[in-house]
Amino acid sequence: MFRQIKSDIQAVSDNDPAARGTIEIIMTYSGLHAIWAHRIAHALYKRRWYTAARIISQLSRFCTGIEIHPGAVIGQRLFIDHGMGVVIGETCEIGDDVVIYQGVTLGGTGKEKGKRHPTIGNRVVVASGAKVLGSFKIGDDSNVGANSVVLREVPACSTVVGIPGRVVKSNGKRVSDRLDHGQMPDPIIDRFRMLESEIMQLKTELDKLKANGGRENNDS
């Protein structure tokens, strides 16, 4: 248990440059409090003490603004930064060394039974406001861009952005070691730039045709 606590604290220290010491982390990081409450609730849930588990999870939600269902399976060194508005569903599975920012939903798409929430691989970053909805996997070492809505599987070492989420690769590798919000590729902007380039090319060709037509008239 103490090794687990130490590992959780170290995850905060590794991922947040604003963290200045162990006492500050223990006392002030709501994401850490939510994870610790979930570990207790999940242990009760596995023993079929469902009501007690839900009471703990709801108390944690009231205190932290983070809702994690007791049935969710969370790996090692999860870091929830800021955390307000984060929702993690019952059948969600989260790997090791995952980073989740505020406003993220790892949820389902309806009232289906069984596995209905996503599986998040190892070393995945899910940025602010992203929604990952459905029973599929986000592959290891992937980034989910801010405010994206992801509805289908994402391969490992990928970046997904937009609504609905679209995979954008950089030579088949991760864009960066940790998500840089200012450098996220935007497929919509890229499409506009391509259209702008095509329009300029058509304009150039049209100008040439006009120039050739003028010379032909002068010759005649």
Coordinates of all heavy atoms in Angstrom, one line a residue, residues 46-99:
K46 N -15.0 -5.1 -5.8 CA -14.6 -6.5 -6.2 C -15.1 -7.5 -5.1 O -15.3 -8.7 -5.5 CB -13.1 -6.6 -6.3 CG -12.5 -5.8 -7.5 CD -11.1 -6.2 -7.7 CE -10.1 -5.9 -6.6 NZ -8.7 -6.2 -6.9
R47 N -15.4 -7.1 -3.9 CA -15.9 -7.9 -2.9 C -17.4 -7.9 -2.9 O -18.1 -8.4 -2.0 CB -15.4 -7.5 -1.5 CG -13.9 -7.8 -1.4 CD -13.3 -7.2 -0.1 NE -11.9 -7.6 0.1 CZ -10.9 -7.1 -0.5 NH1 -11.0 -6.2 -1.5 NH2 -9.7 -7.6 -0.2
R48 N -18.0 -7.3 -3.9 CA -19.5 -7.2 -4.1 C -20.2 -6.3 -3.0 O -21.4 -6.4 -2.8 CB -20.1 -8.6 -4.1 CG -19.6 -9.4 -5.3 CD -20.3 -10.8 -5.3 NE -19.8 -11.6 -6.3 CZ -20.3 -11.7 -7.6 NH1 -21.3 -10.9 -7.9 NH2 -19.8 -12.5 -8.5
W49 N -19.4 -5.4 -2.4 CA -20.0 -4.4 -1.5 C -20.3 -3.2 -2.3 O -19.7 -2.1 -2.1 CB -19.0 -4.1 -0.3 CG -18.8 -5.3 0.5 CD1 -19.4 -6.6 0.5 CD2 -17.8 -5.4 1.6 NE1 -18.9 -7.4 1.4 CE2 -17.9 -6.7 2.1 CE3 -16.9 -4.5 2.2 CZ2 -17.1 -7.2 3.2 CZ3 -16.1 -5.0 3.2 CH2 -16.2 -6.3 3.7
Y50 N -21.3 -3.4 -3.2 CA -21.5 -2.3 -4.2 C -22.0 -1.0 -3.6 O -21.6 0.1 -4.1 CB -22.6 -2.9 -5.2 CG -22.1 -4.1 -6.0 CD1 -22.9 -5.2 -6.0 CD2 -20.9 -4.1 -6.6 CE1 -22.5 -6.4 -6.7 CE2 -20.5 -5.3 -7.3 CZ -21.3 -6.4 -7.3 OH -20.9 -7.5 -8.0
T51 N -22.9 -1.1 -2.7 CA -23.5 0.1 -2.1 C -22.4 0.9 -1.4 O -22.3 2.2 -1.6 CB -24.6 -0.2 -1.1 OG1 -25.6 -0.9 -1.8 CG2 -25.2 1.1 -0.5
A52 N -21.6 0.3 -0.6 CA -20.5 1.0 0.1 C -19.5 1.6 -0.9 O -19.0 2.7 -0.7 CB -19.8 0.0 1.1
A53 N -19.2 0.8 -1.9 CA -18.3 1.3 -3.0 C -18.9 2.6 -3.6 O -18.1 3.6 -3.8 CB -18.0 0.2 -4.0
R54 N -20.2 2.6 -3.9 CA -20.8 3.7 -4.6 C -20.8 4.9 -3.7 O -20.7 6.1 -4.1 CB -22.2 3.4 -5.1 CG -22.2 2.5 -6.3 CD -21.4 3.0 -7.5 NE -21.9 4.3 -8.0 CZ -22.8 4.5 -8.9 NH1 -23.3 3.4 -9.5 NH2 -23.1 5.7 -9.3
I55 N -21.0 4.7 -2.4 CA -21.1 5.8 -1.4 C -19.7 6.5 -1.4 O -19.6 7.7 -1.4 CB -21.5 5.3 0.0 CG1 -22.9 4.9 0.0 CG2 -21.2 6.3 1.0 CD1 -23.4 4.2 1.3
I56 N -18.6 5.7 -1.4 CA -17.3 6.3 -1.3 C -17.0 7.0 -2.6 O -16.5 8.2 -2.6 CB -16.2 5.2 -1.1 CG1 -16.3 4.6 0.3 CG2 -14.8 5.7 -1.4 CD1 -15.4 3.4 0.6
S57 N -17.4 6.5 -3.8 CA -17.2 7.2 -5.0 C -18.0 8.5 -5.1 O -17.5 9.5 -5.7 CB -17.5 6.2 -6.2 OG -18.9 6.1 -6.3
Q58 N -19.2 8.5 -4.6 CA -20.0 9.7 -4.6 C -19.4 10.8 -3.7 O -19.5 12.0 -4.0 CB -21.4 9.4 -4.3 CG -22.1 8.6 -5.4 CD -22.1 9.3 -6.8 OE1 -22.6 10.4 -6.9 NE2 -21.5 8.7 -7.8
L59 N -19.0 10.4 -2.5 CA -18.3 11.3 -1.6 C -17.1 11.9 -2.3 O -16.8 13.1 -2.1 CB -18.0 10.6 -0.3 CG -19.1 10.3 0.6 CD1 -18.6 9.4 1.8 CD2 -19.8 11.5 1.1
S60 N -16.3 11.1 -2.9 CA -15.1 11.5 -3.7 C -15.5 12.5 -4.7 O -14.9 13.6 -4.9 CB -14.4 10.4 -4.3 OG -13.3 10.8 -5.1
R61 N -16.6 12.2 -5.5 CA -17.1 13.1 -6.5 C -17.5 14.5 -5.9 O -17.2 15.6 -6.5 CB -18.3 12.5 -7.2 CG -18.9 13.4 -8.3 CD -20.2 12.9 -8.7 NE -20.9 13.7 -9.7 CZ -22.2 13.8 -9.9 NH1 -23.0 13.0 -9.3 NH2 -22.6 14.6 -10.9
F62 N -18.2 14.5 -4.8 CA -18.6 15.7 -4.1 C -17.4 16.5 -3.7 O -17.4 17.8 -3.8 CB -19.4 15.4 -2.9 CG -19.9 16.6 -2.1 CD1 -20.9 17.4 -2.5 CD2 -19.2 16.9 -0.9 CE1 -21.3 18.5 -1.8 CE2 -19.6 18.0 -0.2 CZ -20.7 18.8 -0.6
C63 N -16.3 15.9 -3.2 CA -15.1 16.6 -2.7 C -14.2 17.0 -3.8 O -13.5 18.0 -3.6 CB -14.4 15.7 -1.7 SG -15.3 15.4 -0.2
T64 N -14.1 16.3 -4.9 CA -13.0 16.5 -5.9 C -13.6 17.0 -7.2 O -12.8 17.5 -8.0 CB -12.2 15.3 -6.1 OG1 -13.0 14.3 -6.7 CG2 -11.6 14.7 -4.8
G65 N -14.9 16.8 -7.5 CA -15.4 17.1 -8.9 C -15.0 16.0 -9.9 O -15.2 16.2 -11.1
I66 N -14.5 14.9 -9.4 CA -14.1 13.8 -10.3 C -14.9 12.6 -10.0 O -15.0 12.1 -8.9 CB -12.6 13.5 -10.1 CG1 -11.7 14.7 -10.4 CG2 -12.1 12.3 -11.0 CD1 -10.3 14.6 -10.0
E67 N -15.5 12.0 -11.1 CA -16.4 10.9 -10.8 C -15.8 9.6 -11.5 O -15.6 9.6 -12.7 CB -17.8 11.1 -11.4 CG -18.7 9.9 -11.2 CD -20.2 10.2 -11.7 OE1 -20.5 11.4 -12.0 OE2 -21.0 9.3 -11.7
I68 N -15.4 8.7 -10.7 CA -14.8 7.4 -11.1 C -15.7 6.3 -10.6 O -15.8 6.1 -9.4 CB -13.3 7.2 -10.7 CG1 -12.5 8.5 -11.0 CG2 -12.8 6.0 -11.3 CD1 -11.1 8.4 -10.4
H69 N -16.3 5.6 -11.5 CA -17.1 4.4 -11.0 C -16.2 3.4 -10.3 O -15.1 3.1 -10.8 CB -17.8 3.8 -12.2 CG -18.9 2.9 -11.8 ND1 -18.7 1.6 -11.3 CD2 -20.3 3.0 -11.8 CE1 -19.8 1.0 -11.1 NE2 -20.8 1.9 -11.3
P70 N -16.7 2.8 -9.2 CA -15.9 1.8 -8.5 C -15.5 0.6 -9.3 O -14.5 0.0 -9.0 CB -16.8 1.4 -7.4 CG -17.8 2.5 -7.2 CD -18.0 3.1 -8.6
G71 N -16.3 0.3 -10.4 CA -15.9 -0.8 -11.2 C -14.8 -0.6 -12.2 O -14.2 -1.5 -12.8
A72 N -14.4 0.7 -12.4 CA -13.3 1.0 -13.4 C -12.0 0.4 -12.9 O -11.7 0.4 -11.7 CB -13.2 2.5 -13.6
V73 N -11.2 -0.1 -13.8 CA -9.9 -0.6 -13.5 C -8.8 0.4 -13.9 O -8.7 0.8 -15.1 CB -9.7 -2.0 -14.3 CG1 -8.3 -2.5 -14.0 CG2 -10.7 -3.0 -13.9
I74 N -8.0 0.8 -12.9 CA -7.0 1.8 -13.1 C -5.6 1.2 -12.9 O -5.4 0.6 -11.8 CB -7.3 3.0 -12.2 CG1 -8.6 3.7 -12.6 CG2 -6.1 4.0 -12.2 CD1 -8.9 4.9 -11.8
G75 N -4.7 1.5 -13.8 CA -3.3 1.0 -13.6 C -2.5 1.8 -12.7 O -3.0 2.6 -11.9
Q76 N -1.2 1.7 -12.9 CA -0.2 2.4 -12.0 C 0.1 3.8 -12.5 O 0.1 4.1 -13.7 CB 1.1 1.6 -12.0 CG 0.9 0.2 -11.5 CD 0.4 0.1 -10.1 OE1 1.0 0.7 -9.2 NE2 -0.6 -0.7 -9.8
R77 N 0.3 4.7 -11.6 CA 0.8 6.1 -11.8 C -0.1 6.9 -12.8 O 0.3 7.7 -13.6 CB 2.2 6.0 -12.4 CG 3.2 5.4 -11.5 CD 4.6 5.2 -12.1 NE 4.5 4.3 -13.2 CZ 4.5 2.9 -13.1 NH1 4.6 2.4 -11.9 NH2 4.4 2.2 -14.2
L78 N -1.4 6.7 -12.6 CA -2.4 7.6 -13.3 C -2.3 9.0 -12.7 O -2.2 9.2 -11.5 CB -3.8 7.1 -13.1 CG -4.9 8.0 -13.6 CD1 -4.9 8.3 -15.1 CD2 -6.3 7.5 -13.2
F79 N -2.2 10.0 -13.6 CA -2.2 11.4 -13.1 C -3.4 12.1 -13.7 O -3.5 12.2 -15.0 CB -0.9 12.1 -13.6 CG -0.8 13.6 -13.3 CD1 -1.1 14.0 -12.0 CD2 -0.5 14.5 -14.2 CE1 -1.0 15.4 -11.7 CE2 -0.4 15.8 -14.0 CZ -0.7 16.3 -12.7
I80 N -4.3 12.6 -12.9 CA -5.4 13.5 -13.3 C -5.1 14.9 -12.9 O -5.0 15.3 -11.8 CB -6.7 13.0 -12.6 CG1 -7.0 11.5 -12.9 CG2 -7.9 13.9 -13.0 CD1 -8.2 11.0 -12.2
D81 N -4.8 15.7 -13.9 CA -4.4 17.1 -13.7 C -5.6 18.0 -13.6 O -6.5 18.0 -14.5 CB -3.5 17.6 -14.9 CG -2.7 18.8 -14.5 OD1 -2.7 19.2 -13.3 OD2 -2.0 19.4 -15.4
H82 N -5.7 18.8 -12.6 CA -6.8 19.7 -12.3 C -8.1 18.8 -12.0 O -8.6 18.8 -10.9 CB -7.1 20.7 -13.4 CG -5.9 21.5 -13.7 ND1 -5.4 22.4 -12.8 CD2 -5.1 21.6 -14.8 CE1 -4.4 23.0 -13.3 NE2 -4.2 22.6 -14.5
G83 N -8.6 18.1 -13.0 CA -9.5 17.0 -12.7 C -11.0 17.4 -12.7 O -11.8 16.5 -12.9
M84 N -11.4 18.6 -12.5 CA -12.8 19.0 -12.4 C -13.5 18.5 -13.7 O -13.1 18.8 -14.8 CB -12.9 20.5 -12.3 CG -14.4 21.0 -12.1 SD -15.2 20.3 -10.7 CE -14.3 21.1 -9.3
G85 N -14.6 17.8 -13.5 CA -15.5 17.4 -14.6 C -15.0 16.1 -15.2 O -15.7 15.6 -16.2
V86 N -14.0 15.4 -14.7 CA -13.6 14.1 -15.3 C -14.6 13.0 -14.9 O -15.0 13.0 -13.7 CB -12.2 13.7 -14.8 CG1 -11.9 12.3 -15.1 CG2 -11.1 14.6 -15.4
V87 N -15.0 12.2 -15.9 CA -15.9 11.1 -15.6 C -15.3 9.8 -16.2 O -15.0 9.8 -17.4 CB -17.3 11.4 -16.3 CG1 -18.2 10.2 -16.1 CG2 -18.0 12.6 -15.7
I88 N -15.2 8.8 -15.4 CA -14.7 7.5 -15.9 C -15.7 6.4 -15.6 O -16.1 6.2 -14.4 CB -13.4 7.2 -15.1 CG1 -12.3 8.3 -15.5 CG2 -12.8 5.8 -15.6 CD1 -11.0 8.2 -14.7
G89 N -16.2 5.7 -16.6 CA -17.3 4.8 -16.5 C -16.9 3.4 -15.9 O -15.7 3.1 -15.7
E90 N -17.9 2.7 -15.7 CA -17.8 1.4 -14.9 C -16.9 0.4 -15.5 O -16.1 -0.2 -14.9 CB -19.2 0.8 -14.7 CG -19.2 -0.5 -14.0 CD -20.6 -1.2 -13.9 OE1 -21.5 -0.8 -14.7 OE2 -20.7 -2.1 -13.1
T91 N -17.0 0.2 -16.8 CA -16.2 -0.9 -17.5 C -14.9 -0.3 -18.2 O -14.3 -1.0 -19.0 CB -17.0 -1.6 -18.5 OG1 -17.5 -0.7 -19.5 CG2 -18.2 -2.3 -17.9
C92 N -14.6 0.9 -17.8 CA -13.4 1.5 -18.4 C -12.1 0.9 -17.8 O -12.1 0.5 -16.6 CB -13.4 3.0 -18.1 SG -12.0 3.9 -18.8
E93 N -11.1 0.7 -18.6 CA -9.8 0.1 -18.2 C -8.7 1.1 -18.6 O -8.7 1.5 -19.7 CB -9.6 -1.2 -18.8 CG -10.6 -2.3 -18.4 CD -10.4 -3.6 -19.2 OE1 -9.2 -4.0 -19.3 OE2 -11.4 -4.1 -19.7
I94 N -7.9 1.5 -17.6 CA -6.8 2.5 -17.9 C -5.5 1.8 -17.6 O -5.3 1.3 -16.5 CB -7.1 3.7 -17.0 CG1 -8.4 4.4 -17.4 CG2 -5.9 4.7 -17.2 CD1 -8.7 5.6 -16.5
G95 N -4.6 2.0 -18.5 CA -3.2 1.4 -18.3 C -2.3 2.2 -17.4 O -2.8 3.0 -16.6
D96 N -1.0 1.9 -17.5 CA -0.1 2.6 -16.7 C 0.4 3.9 -17.3 O 0.5 4.1 -18.5 CB 1.2 1.7 -16.4 CG 0.8 0.4 -15.8 OD1 -0.2 0.4 -15.0 OD2 1.5 -0.6 -15.9
D97 N 0.8 4.8 -16.4 CA 1.4 6.1 -16.8 C 0.5 6.9 -17.7 O 1.0 7.6 -18.7 CB 2.8 5.9 -17.4 CG 3.7 5.1 -16.5 OD1 4.1 5.7 -15.5 OD2 4.1 4.0 -16.8
V98 N -0.7 6.9 -17.5 CA -1.7 7.7 -18.3 C -1.9 9.1 -17.6 O -1.9 9.2 -16.4 CB -3.1 7.0 -18.3 CG1 -4.1 7.8 -19.0 CG2 -2.9 5.7 -19.1
V99 N -2.1 10.1 -18.5 CA -2.3 11.5 -18.0 C -3.7 11.9 -18.5 O -4.0 11.8 -19.7 CB -1.3 12.5 -18.5 CG1 -1.6 13.9 -18.1 CG2 0.1 12.1 -17.9

